[in-house]
C-alpha cells in the first residue's frame, strides 16, 4: 500500500460503548420528595440498604425525620426544600395531585439537579385504575416544563411499594425503565436502580415516551388485583 492509499483510508471508528458500562454512583446523595409515602419510603429504604446516602423529604420536616428514624440505615429526614438543596439526585415520588405544585415551589432548590420523576398520573372509578394524560404529555414532561434548569429523567414507575418496604425480601425481580434526554443522566439513574438487588435499569427512550410507561401502571394494578400479586416487568433479550 502506498502512502497515498494510506492517507485515503477512513479513520477507524472507536469501539461502541458497552451499554451496561455504567458509572459509579455510590457517592451520590439521593433525596426522595414524598419520602413519607409508600413508594417514596420504599425507594428510600432500598437505596439506603444498598449503601446509598438518602434524605427523605416531606412538607413537614418532623414527619420526614420520624419516617427516617423508622427506616434506619442512616437515612435522614428534612423538609422538601432542604432535601432538594442537599441532594445530588432527587426522586419525585409525590402524589399526582400535588405534583405540579410541589415542583413549582422547589424550582430554585432543584436548579442544576438530576431529577427522577416516578409519578404515575392515574384516575380510579368503579372499573379500576385508568391512565390520565397531562397537558404536557406525561408527568415527566410536566416536570421538565416546570423545571427548566434541572435535568429531568423518568424511572421507578412499576415498583411495588409492598415489596420495596418488606424487610424479609432481599431481592426484587424487576427491570426499571429509564427515560431521559441526556444519556449520561439516564446511565446515572440506571446505575442507581442496579444498586438494588434484583433490579436492572434499562434505557427506554426519551421523555416523549414517558406517557406509555407511566400509563402501564394501570395495567399492572389490574394484574395485581386479578392474581393477588405484586407484578413487575422484565425486558427480554437485553
Amino acid at each position: 500500500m502506498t502512502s497515498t492509499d494510506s492517507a485515503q483510508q477512513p479513520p477507524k471508528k472507536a469501539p461502541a460503548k458497552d451499554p451496561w458500562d455504567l458509572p459509579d454512583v455510590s457517592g451520590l446523595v439521593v433525596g426522595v420528595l414524598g419520602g413519607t409515602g409508600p413508594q417514596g419510603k420504599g425507594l428510600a429504604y432500598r437505596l439506603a440498604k444498598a449503601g446509598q446516602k438518602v434524605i427523605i423529604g416531606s412538607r413537614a420536616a418532623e414527619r420526614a425525620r420520624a419516617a427516617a428514624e423508622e427506616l434506619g440505615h442512616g437515612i435522614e429526614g428534612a423538609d422538601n426544600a432542604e432535601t432538594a438543596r442537599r441532594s445530588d439526585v432527587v426522586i419525585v415520588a409525590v402524589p399526582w395531585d400535588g405534583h405540579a405544585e410541589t415542583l413549582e415551589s422547589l424550582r430554585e432548590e432543584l436548579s442544576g439537579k438530576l431529577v427522577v420523576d416516578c409519578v404515575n398520573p392515574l384516575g380510579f372509578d368503579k372499573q379500576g385504575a385508568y391512565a390520565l394524560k397531562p397537558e404536557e404529555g406525561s408527568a415527566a414532561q410536566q416536570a421538565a416544563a416546570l423545571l427548566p434548569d434541572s435535568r429531568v429523567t423518568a424511572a421507578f414507575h412499576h415498583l411495588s411499594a409492598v415489596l420495596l418496604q418488606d424487610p424479609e425480601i432481599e431481592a426484587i425481580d424487576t427491570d426499571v425503565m429509564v427515560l431521559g434526554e441526556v444519556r449520561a443522566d439516564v446511565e446515572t439513574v440506571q446505575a442507581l436502580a442496579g444498586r438494588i438487588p434484583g433490579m436492572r435499569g434499562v434505557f427506554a427512550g426519551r421523555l416523549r415516551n414517558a406517557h406509555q410507561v407511566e400509563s402501564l401502571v394501570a395495567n399492572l394494578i389490574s394484574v395485581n388485583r386479578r392474581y393477588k400479586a405484586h407484578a413487575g416487568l422484565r425486558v427480554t433479550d437485553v
Side-chain angles (χ1 to χ4, degrees):
M1 180 181 296
T2 67
S3 58
T4 303
D5 292 334
S6 177
Q8 293 174 347
Q9 294 300 311
K12 290 184 178 180
K13 290 184 179 180
K17 182 180 182 294
D18 181 351
W20 299 111
D21 180 15
L22 301 173
D24 177 9
V25 295
S26 59
L28 297 179
V29 177
V30 178
V32 184
L33 305 181
T36 59
Q39 193 81 355
K41 187 183 284 187
L43 280 168
Y45 169 70
R46 288 290 165 176
L47 288 168
K49 189 177 180 183
Q52 209 74 39
K53 174 60 185 173
V54 177
I55 307 170
I56 59 176
S58 175
R59 286 176 295 181
E62 296 82 4
R63 187 179 177 197
R65 285 192 283 267
E69 185 176 348
E70 175 192 342
L71 293 173
H73 296 285
I75 297 173
E76 294 184 46
D79 64 32
N80 283 331
E82 182 181 346
T83 298
R85 280 193 300 267
R86 293 178 55 195
S87 301
D88 302 304
V89 179
V90 180
I91 297 174
V92 181
V94 300
W96 166 241
D97 58 7
H99 184 259
E101 181 183 358
T102 299
L103 296 183
E104 282 179 324
S105 71
L106 297 171
R107 182 175 296 168
E108 182 178 344
E109 290 83 359
L110 291 170
S111 177
K113 306 288 184 176
L114 174 53
V115 174
V116 187
D117 201 297
C118 69
V119 175
N120 302 301
L122 296 176
F124 296 87
D125 59 20
K126 291 181 180 180
Q127 297 183 60
Y130 60 95
L132 303 175
K133 189 159 188 179
E135 182 179 347
E136 298 84 354
S138 64
Q141 288 169 296
Q142 183 183 86
L146 293 172
L147 304 172
D149 297 320
S150 303
R151 293 137 50 214
V152 176
T153 60
F156 301 117
H157 301 91
H158 306 134
L159 306 181
S160 163
V162 173
L163 297 184
L164 288 172
Q165 294 184 79
D166 189 342
E168 299 300 315
I169 295 176
E170 290 298 322
I172 299 179
D173 180 26
T174 193
D175 285 332
V176 172
M177 310 286 274
V178 185
L179 303 97
E181 300 301 318
V182 179
R183 185 59 59 89
D185 293 337
V186 170
E187 290 180 348
T188 295
V189 180
Q190 287 181 264
L192 280 173
R195 298 210 73 197
I196 301 173
M199 288 191 194
R200 276 190 321 176
V202 178
F203 172 66
R206 293 179 178 269
L207 288 185
R208 68 180 184 180
N209 293 323
H211 172 66
Q212 54 264 39
V213 173
E214 296 169 0
S215 300
L216 190 57
V217 174
N219 302 90
L220 290 177
I221 290 173
S222 297
V223 170
N224 290 337
R225 287 180 175 173
R226 176 65 179 85
Y227 297 100
K228 304 296 188 292
H230 303 291
L233 296 177
R234 275 295 188 204
V235 179
T236 62
D237 200 34
V238 295

